Amino acid sequence: MSLALQTDGFDIASIRADFPILAQKIYGKDLVFLDSAASAQKPRAVIEAMTHVMQAQYANVHRGLYFLSERTSDAYEGVRDKVAAFLHAASREEIVFTRNATESINLVAHSFGRALLRPGDAIVVSEMEHHANLVPWQMLRDAHGVELRVAKITDAGEIDWDSLAACFADGRVKLLAVTHMSNVLGSYTPASRLAAFAHQHGARILLDGSQAVVHRRVDVQAIDADFYVFSGHKLYGPTGIGVLYAKRDILEAMPPFMGGGDMIGSVSFARSTWAKPPHRFEAGTPAIIETIGLGAAIDYIEAIGFPAISAHEQILTDHALKILSEIDGLRLLGAAQDRGGVVSFTLDQAHAHDIATLLDRQGIAVRAGMHCAEPLMGRLGVTSTARASFGVYTTLGEIDALAVGLRRVQQMFS
Amino acid sequence: MSLALQTDGFDIASIRADFPILAQKIYGKDLVFLDSAASAQKPRAVIEAMTHVMQAQYANVHRGLYFLSERTSDAYEGVRDKVAAFLHAASREEIVFTRNATESINLVAHSFGRALLRPGDAIVVSEMEHHANLVPWQMLRDAHGVELRVAKITDAGEIDWDSLAACFADGRVKLLAVTHMSNVLGSYTPASRLAAFAHQHGARILLDGSQAVVHRRVDVQAIDADFYVFSGHKLYGPTGIGVLYAKRDILEAMPPFMGGGDMIGSVSFARSTWAKPPHRFEAGTPAIIETIGLGAAIDYIEAIGFPAISAHEQILTDHALKILSEIDGLRLLGAAQDRGGVVSFTLDQAHAHDIATLLDRQGIAVRAGMHCAEPLMGRLGVTSTARASFGVYTTLGEIDALAVGLRRVQQMFS
Amino acid sequence: MSDSAELYQALIMARSRQPRFAGPLATFDSQGTGDNPMCGDRVQVYLRRADTGVGHVSRGCAIMSASADLMAEAVAGKSAAEIAVLSTAFEAMVTSGAQDPALGDLNALAGVSGYRSRIRCATLPWSALADALADDGEG
Amino acid sequence: MSDSAELYQALIMARSRQPRFAGPLATFDSQGTGDNPMCGDRVQVYLRRADTGVGHVSRGCAIMSASADLMAEAVAGKSAAEIAVLSTAFEAMVTSGAQDPALGDLNALAGVSGYRSRIRCATLPWSALADALADDGEG
Ligand SMILES: Cc1ncc(COP(=O)(O)O)c(C=O)c1O
Ligand SMILES: Cc1ncc(COP(=O)(O)O)c(C=O)c1O
């Protein structure tokens, strides 16, 4: 693990020291955590921000006229500014807090889908979507009579533009909902090109940024995204907090998703009116402590800086692709030109489950299964894969450890 | 504040020491926190449980085959058992995790409401509902064509049974959605009597336990509740986590609310099938850290014990009602026979906002406004109230401080 | 309590208790309303355009009703353009706490800047006035 | 890696690599399927009632396919009631890790108890068999 702890301009030793969990031993071995794409570990700054609110500042937000509530409201609403800046949104009113990326997409499917799409309109997703960006559209289809179309991907794991064009040919598509980075193949999709394509065809675009936002600077205005979603917990923040970005005019036109406190204008038994966005979409007591934790996570990442993070993860990914491809009987899935720190593979000799269990006993955490992307498994001709994914704290040495571990698994199975 | 720190069999000094925030000074004054009904403060045990997950155990749940994920899944699912025991549910499968009580009610309105109620069916709420238990039913009414009826309350702030009976007279009511304790008047409603009444009339009952669950032992089987909801953050737990209890057969019959990972059986582009309850209703990465925090909050409360908590809060409430009623020009709202630790009032001389601001500068936190119960304000003939509410850490001395503070406010305004 | 004196100073207490411009005008050209759904505050503003006479009916806290009354006094006889300037200066003053000589008695509300959640109380009458000014009398 | 040896012991490796009861039976009366949607594992079980002959088609990990093969061997010739007893004992054994003399070679799977998320792999074939037993041949 001492190998190449230091990549250029990136003080990995000090970054690792920021994550208390990395000092854990698993079955007496050093923890090699290669499952950040499922959920990332939390730096001390995030843990402390959450602890601080609870110890010194906590109260419910928005409606309290006293000191603690005002301070907590300021901190909560301050994170909205932070997220707006993080995504380079045009205004803070375009940032809606949700539980996770899944809820963000469901919110859009429900509010935009039922109110602004009409039966007969079509929605396009790609073959490499996470269930979170597929199932809500199926539910909308079944409830509301829209059509759901699937754009193919190439064998390399990139958008198949011919197939996409065919999906749009009849002019009925009103929404393209597509991942910005695949959680299985690591492929980045060309977000601004896809947005321009959708817009030329009179459709809106939703980008699932759950993976993408972790590895690179995202600029929703430069992309010209209509909707952009992500989860806090993959971005080194707490669970229970997610983000929906949507353009202001779209949010203004959308009815609420859930009803309750904080999202209303006025309420009478006969009839209620809605608050303006973003509050219209945040019913009830929000995830106050978690939102503040997300703010700390964004500060942490911004302090390292995306140029350094992207460069580091590029080195890791290149190294992983090279070293894993040298293992006989290992099949790497996907070969996109543009990819982030996620690598999926299968072994001829051993099933993904067996790989994960045997690596675990060496202290190495990888994910095995369908990765909430069952239809993609079918497309790839596999029933499951093993997946290693990288974060700011991942070292080249850990990737070497993975390769050594995989060879040991092969030995057992040969 | 030294006055009566000790009520019988209840070590309030040691309880207060468990809540780090209570040592804060506000504008140089001791914090007197009388807004627990909006959101309670967090004991060290909750803060530490959350910190511990993030420092030593964290990983995403359910799908990981490695050590950290297994441990975290066990801890997460363990809280389901804990909540089931806390509410005395018949099985753990009857406990669904949500963000808050508001989402729990929206889930029921959406999934039960759209799938199991038919246009023309009626829903009954009371005049003293929080917006969370009114607006979702209005939205369902407008989208789905059910009828929404309002049962009156008496001047004392109790359910008006004649009015309730009149609402049910035509046999079209299929759901009674009613608070178990008013967040404005403090009234407890007779939950099991209401449940029996609803059932005799062929209706289901949903109880909003957001306030009730904090002060007394709730037994959903003894009540025979069909649905019961509450929020973690009012129960000394973190934000971002709430609970929906529903009887097993009802949950089985309900379609999902949101779609995504973890709630599916199998997924293909053409069609997906749903997991069994409770997972069917928990799409995407759940609020893992917060759920574990809720577990710690329940342990904390159970260690004190509801008999002691209820007795303590009864003493506080009786004292507050007595001492506040001695203030000239102070009007107490509600006079239910059975009430919990929430007291609302108005002053002839000063508006609720002014009261809250002036008390704040004395370190006393109370809430002022409509308390997310705008229609109830109309019923009471006020536009807003000031509200003091009590928790396990509240002392008789703090209530005395409130009375002193209110007299000072009156002086300024006289 | 002494530091609250800064907010609840004599002029504000006096004007909330004995407002000079309370009640609808006998004749008026347009009307505007300010609502704060979070707390139930409501102010209605009546505007007579000829001399920019303003009357208000305030249902809410001392800050809000004093602000409405001081506003009515400050805008009397002013043009719409002058009112717009005044309104902007007022909002800046209650947000920053920095008194502005151009605001005269309105500066009594500077203390509200220290009470984040109360700023809205002070500005609500001004929203209602803007609403009245925008009202062309046909709505 | 040495402690993994307990789980992936010789019998399991052998039976997953060279199963003895793999493939559909030439003639069978009913069929059952076990699916684990979380990981994509699937096992199909073919049942001939006359002599309780079982064949399986397993697509999944070593634990699952070895378990299917050992199950086919263990239930051969047994009555439905006997199988129910065996199945309950098997589930208890893989959950607790306590070997049970009545289970014979099936005890090779005791090590799975230390791997919480893998217990489902071992029990999946048994669910498929229950499914086949419940199938009256008309479905
Ligand atoms: C009676 C009642 N119901 C529902 C709610 C809503 O709770 P939450 O905002 O946590 O969803 C509250 C608290 O605000 C309440 O007091
Ligand atoms: C591409 C992608 N989309 C959506 C999700 C769903 O995220 P969450 O479970 O946080 O809602 C994930 C992560 O699981 C993902 O990788």
Side-chain angles (χ1 to χ4, degrees):
Chain A
M1 220 69 48
S2 64
L3 225 182
L5 264 177
Q6 187 93 33
T7 56
D8 240 22
F10 194 78
D11 187 355
I12 184 97
S14 102
I15 287 175
R16 288 181 68 83
D18 294 334
F19 290 81
I21 204 170
L22 298 180
Q24 289 283 310
K25 298 271 177 194
I26 304 295
Y27 302 114
K29 316 266 175 13
D30 286 335
L31 168 62
V32 175
F33 185 75
L34 298 175
D35 195 22
S36 292
S39 200
Q41 296 300 343
K42 318 305 173 204
R44 196 168 285 110
V46 167
I47 302 171
E48 281 172 3
M50 294 170 73
T51 306
H52 174 75
V53 196
M54 292 189 271
Q55 286 187 341
Q57 184 194 275
Y58 182 77
N60 210 333
V61 293
H62 293 153
R63 283 159 294 168
L65 301 177
Y66 53 86
F67 185 84
L68 292 174
S69 179
E70 289 181 354
R71 287 305 167 282
T72 308
S73 299
D74 285 354
Y76 175 80
E77 288 298 331
V79 177
R80 207 184 297 278
D81 294 311
K82 221 165 251 183
V83 173
F86 180 71
L87 293 178
H88 196 231
S91 85
R92 66 191 309 281
E93 280 77 25
E94 297 178 325
I95 304 300
V96 176
F97 292 124
T98 62
R99 174 175 36 244
N100 50 27
T102 300
E103 187 187 2
S104 300
I105 297 173
N106 278 276
L107 193 167
V108 176
H110 189 94
S111 296
F112 175 81
R114 295 189 187 218
L116 299 169
L117 298 181
R118 265 167 296 186
D121 287 348
I123 297 170
V124 173
V125 297
S126 87
E127 271 182 335
M128 58 179 164
E129 299 310 317
H130 187 280
H131 292 165
N133 196 28
L134 173 60
V135 180
W137 308 117
Q138 292 183 324
M139 290 167 64
L140 178 67
R141 174 193 66 195
D142 297 344
H144 191 61
V146 295
E147 195 188 322
L148 183 58
R149 299 177 182 174
V150 182
K152 291 196 194 319
I153 56 168
T154 65
D155 289 339
E158 297 174 326
I159 296 289
D160 179 335
W161 284 83
D162 291 339
S163 170
L164 188 69
C167 286
F168 275 78
D170 66 2
R172 282 171 43 210
V173 176
K174 292 289 178 297
L175 180 71
L176 172 60
V178 68
T179 191
H180 191 189
M181 174 182 154
S182 163
N183 65 313
V184 176
L185 303 173
S187 330
Y188 264 90
T189 58
S192 48
R193 195 176 150 204
L194 287 164
F197 179 87
H199 294 153
Q200 277 152 25
H201 291 79
R204 299 287 192 177
I205 185 167
L206 176 146
L207 286 157
D208 174 0
S210 306
Q211 296 295 336
V213 91
V214 181
H215 306 289
R216 292 184 193 172
R217 161 74 57 210
V218 168
D219 181 330
V220 290
Q221 291 187 83
I223 291 171
D224 198 15
D226 296 301
F227 300 100
Y228 199 95
V229 309
F230 70 90
S231 283
H233 69 93
K234 296 189 202 267
L235 195 69
Y236 312 102
T239 45
I241 178 71
V243 168
L244 165 64
Y245 158 84
K247 282 183 188 158
R248 192 183 204 131
D249 61 320
I250 308 180
L251 282 182
E252 304 259 356
M254 281 163 57
F257 176 35
M258 300 196 210
D262 266 6
M263 55 67 73
I264 50 95
S266 68
V267 177
S268 71
F269 287 122
R271 164 164 182 282
S272 298
T273 61
W274 315 133
K276 289 197 171 37
H279 296 290
R280 184 186 298 165
F281 303 101
E282 295 177 4
T285 303
I288 302 168
I289 301 161
E290 297 65 40
T291 306
I292 292 170
L294 173 62
I298 290 178
D299 286 344
Y300 181 79
I301 290 161
E302 297 281 19
I304 303 179
F306 271 109
I309 293 174
S310 309
H312 174 68
E313 292 180 359
Q314 193 63 56
I315 292 171
L316 294 171
T317 309
D318 290 348
H319 183 65
L321 292 173
K322 177 169 172 298
I323 195 170
L324 293 179
S325 67
E326 288 164 2
I327 298 178
D328 274 350
L330 185 147
R331 176 184 165 205
L332 285 165
L333 297 159
Q337 296 283 327
D338 188 13
R339 58 188 296 166
V342 167
V343 176
S344 280
F345 55 90
T346 57
L347 282 187
D348 283 349
Q349 301 85 346
H351 186 274
H353 271 191
D354 299 316
I355 297 173
T357 296
L358 289 166
L359 289 176
D360 180 38
R361 295 290 153 145
Q362 303 174 57
I364 304 171
V366 300
R367 187 144 293 236
M370 307 202 286
H371 315 290
C372 291
E374 185 170 346
L376 175 59
M377 296 295 115
R379 166 65 180 85
L380 299 171
V382 298
T383 58
S384 65
T385 81
R387 181 186 74 183
S389 55
F390 317 132
V392 287
Y393 37 66
T394 307
T395 66
L396 289 171
E398 289 181 311
I399 292 169
D400 293 338
L402 169 66
V404 170
L406 287 171
R407 287 185 199 276
R408 285 203 202 145
V409 171
Q410 287 188 314
Q411 269 164 27
M412 276 196 72
F413 275 79
S414 65
Chain B
M1 219 68 48
S2 62
L3 227 182
L5 264 177
Q6 188 92 31
T7 55
D8 237 22
F10 195 76
D11 187 356
I12 183 97
S14 104
I15 287 176
R16 288 182 68 84
D18 293 335
F19 290 81
I21 203 170
L22 297 179
Q24 289 283 311
K25 297 271 178 193
I26 304 295
Y27 303 114
K29 317 266 175 15
D30 285 336
L31 168 62
V32 175
F33 185 76
L34 298 175
D35 194 23
S36 292
S39 199
Q41 297 300 344
K42 318 305 173 203
R44 195 169 284 109
V46 168
I47 301 172
E48 280 172 3
M50 294 171 72
T51 305
H52 173 76
V53 197
M54 293 189 270
Q55 286 188 342
Q57 182 193 275
Y58 184 76
N60 210 332
V61 292
H62 293 152
R63 284 159 293 167
L65 301 177
Y66 52 88
F67 185 85
L68 292 175
S69 178
E70 289 180 354
R71 286 305 168 283
T72 308
S73 301
D74 286 352
Y76 175 80
E77 289 298 331
V79 178
R80 206 184 298 279
D81 294 311
K82 222 164 251 183
V83 173
F86 179 70
L87 293 179
H88 196 233
S91 86
R92 65 191 311 280
E93 281 77 25
E94 297 177 323
I95 304 299
V96 177
F97 291 125
T98 63
R99 175 177 34 243
N100 49 27
T102 301
E103 187 188 2
S104 299
I105 297 174
N106 278 275
L107 193 167
V108 176
H110 192 274
S111 296
F112 174 82
R114 295 189 188 219
L116 299 169
L117 297 182
R118 266 167 295 186
D121 287 349
I123 297 170
V124 173
V125 298
S126 87
E127 270 182 334
M128 59 179 164
E129 298 310 317
H130 187 281
H131 293 164
N133 196 28
L134 172 60
V135 181
W137 308 117
Q138 293 183 324
M139 290 168 64
L140 178 67
R141 174 192 65 193
D142 298 343
H144 191 61
V146 295
E147 194 188 323
L148 183 58
R149 300 178 181 172
V150 182
K152 292 196 191 320
I153 56 168
T154 64
D155 289 339
E158 297 175 326
I159 295 288
D160 177 334
W161 284 83
D162 292 338
S163 170
L164 189 69
C167 286
F168 276 77
D170 67 2
R172 283 171 44 211
V173 176
K174 291 289 177 300
L175 180 71
L176 172 60
V178 67
T179 191
H180 192 189
M181 174 182 154
S182 163
N183 64 313
V184 176
L185 303 174
S187 333
Y188 264 89
T189 57
S192 48
R193 192 177 153 204
L194 287 165
F197 179 87
H199 294 153
Q200 276 154 23
H201 290 80
R204 298 288 191 176
I205 185 165
L206 176 145
L207 286 157
D208 174 359
S210 305
Q211 296 296 336
V213 91
V214 180
H215 306 288
R216 294 184 192 170
R217 162 74 58 211
V218 167
D219 181 329
V220 290
Q221 291 187 83
I223 292 172
D224 198 14
D226 297 300
F227 301 100
Y228 199 95
V229 309
F230 71 89
S231 283
H233 69 93
K234 297 189 202 267
L235 196 68
Y236 312 101
T239 47
I241 178 71
V243 168
L244 165 64
Y245 158 84
K247 282 183 188 157
R248 191 182 205 134
D249 60 320
I250 307 179
L251 282 182
E252 303 260 356
M254 281 163 56
F257 176 36
M258 300 196 210
D262 265 7
M263 54 66 73
I264 50 93
S266 68
V267 177
S268 72
F269 288 121
R271 164 165 182 283
S272 298
T273 61
W274 314 134
K276 289 197 170 40
H279 295 290
R280 183 186 298 166
F281 303 101
E282 296 178 4
T285 302
I288 303 167
I289 300 161
E290 296 67 40
T291 306
I292 292 169
L294 173 62
I298 290 177
D299 287 343
Y300 181 79
I301 291 161
E302 297 281 19
I304 302 180
F306 271 109
I309 293 175
S310 308
H312 173 67
E313 292 180 1
Q314 192 63 57
I315 293 170
L316 293 171
T317 308
D318 290 347
H319 184 64
L321 292 174
K322 175 168 174 298
I323 194 169
L324 293 180
S325 67
E326 289 163 1
I327 298 179
D328 274 349
L330 186 147
R331 175 183 166 205
L332 285 165
L333 297 159
Q337 296 284 326
D338 189 12
R339 58 188 297 167
V342 168
V343 176
S344 282
F345 54 90
T346 57
L347 282 187
D348 284 348
Q349 302 85 348
H351 186 273
H353 269 190
D354 299 316
I355 298 173
T357 296
L358 288 167
L359 290 176
D360 180 37
R361 295 290 152 145
Q362 305 173 56
I364 304 170
V366 300
R367 187 143 294 236
M370 306 201 287
H371 314 291
C372 291
E374 185 170 345
L376 175 58
M377 297 295 117
R379 167 66 181 84
L380 298 172
V382 297
T383 57
S384 64
T385 81
R387 181 187 74 183
S389 56
F390 318 131
V392 285
Y393 37 65
T394 306
T395 66
L396 289 171
E398 290 182 311
I399 292 170
D400 292 338
L402 169 66
V404 171
L406 286 172
R407 288 185 198 275
R408 285 203 203 144
V409 172
Q410 286 189 315
Q411 268 164 27
M412 276 195 73
F413 275 79
S414 65
Chain C
M1 197 81 137
S2 57
D3 47 3
S4 313
E6 199 201 323
L7 176 58
Y8 290 90
Q9 51 171 267
L11 184 59
I12 290 180
M13 298 306 270
R15 285 308 194 81
S16 80
R17 254 175 284 163
Q18 275 117 26
R20 298 198 194 147
F21 300 86
L25 300 180
T27 62
F28 58 89
D29 305 300
S30 60
Q31 221 188 311
T33 305
D35 263 314
N36 185 347
M38 290 299 166
C39 60
D41 279 4
R42 155 170 287 204
V43 53
Q44 278 171 293
V45 160
Y46 299 82
L47 173 69
R48 186 176 54 232
R49 289 185 192 269
D51 60 344
T52 321
V54 166
H56 65 96
V57 176
S58 297
R59 184 191 75 192
C61 61
I63 306 301
M64 198 270 274
S65 44
S67 178
D69 211 60
L70 293 168
M71 174 186 79
E73 185 168 43
V75 301
K78 294 238 164 41
S79 72
E82 287 168 321
I83 292 174
V85 171
L86 212 56
S87 171
T88 307
F90 179 78
E91 194 156 335
M93 184 269 294
V94 292
T95 309
S96 69
Q99 303 212 355
D100 177 343
L103 290 169
D105 277 356
L106 293 171
N107 284 314
L109 287 154
V112 85
S113 66
Y115 302 73
R116 297 292 302 275
S117 44
R118 303 302 302 279
I119 294 174
R120 181 92 187 266
C121 303
T123 57
L124 198 66
W126 291 85
S127 323
L129 179 60
D131 191 24
L133 285 163
D135 176 5
D136 58 8
E138 310 214 346
Chain D
M1 199 81 137
S2 56
D3 46 2
S4 311
E6 199 201 322
L7 176 59
Y8 290 91
Q9 53 171 266
L11 183 59
I12 289 180
M13 298 305 270
R15 286 307 193 82
S16 80
R17 253 175 285 163
Q18 274 119 26
R20 297 197 195 150
F21 300 86
L25 301 179
T27 61
F28 58 89
D29 306 298
S30 61
Q31 221 187 310
T33 306
D35 263 313
N36 185 347
M38 289 298 165
C39 61
D41 278 5
R42 155 171 287 205
V43 54
Q44 278 170 294
V45 160
Y46 300 82
L47 173 69
R48 187 176 54 234
R49 290 185 190 268
D51 60 347
T52 320
V54 166
H56 66 95
V57 176
S58 297
R59 181 191 77 190
C61 61
I63 305 302
M64 197 270 275
S65 44
S67 177
D69 212 59
L70 292 168
M71 172 187 81
E73 186 168 43
V75 301
K78 294 237 163 45
S79 72
E82 287 169 319
I83 292 175
V85 172
L86 213 54
S87 172
T88 306
F90 180 77
E91 194 156 333
M93 182 271 293
V94 291
T95 307
S96 69
Q99 303 212 356
D100 176 344
L103 289 170
D105 276 356
L106 292 171
N107 284 313
L109 285 154
V112 86
S113 65
Y115 301 73
R116 298 290 303 273
S117 44
R118 303 302 300 280
I119 294 174
R120 181 92 188 265
C121 303
T123 58
L124 198 66
W126 291 85
S127 323
L129 179 59
D131 192 27
L133 285 163
D135 177 6
D136 59 8
E138 310 213 346

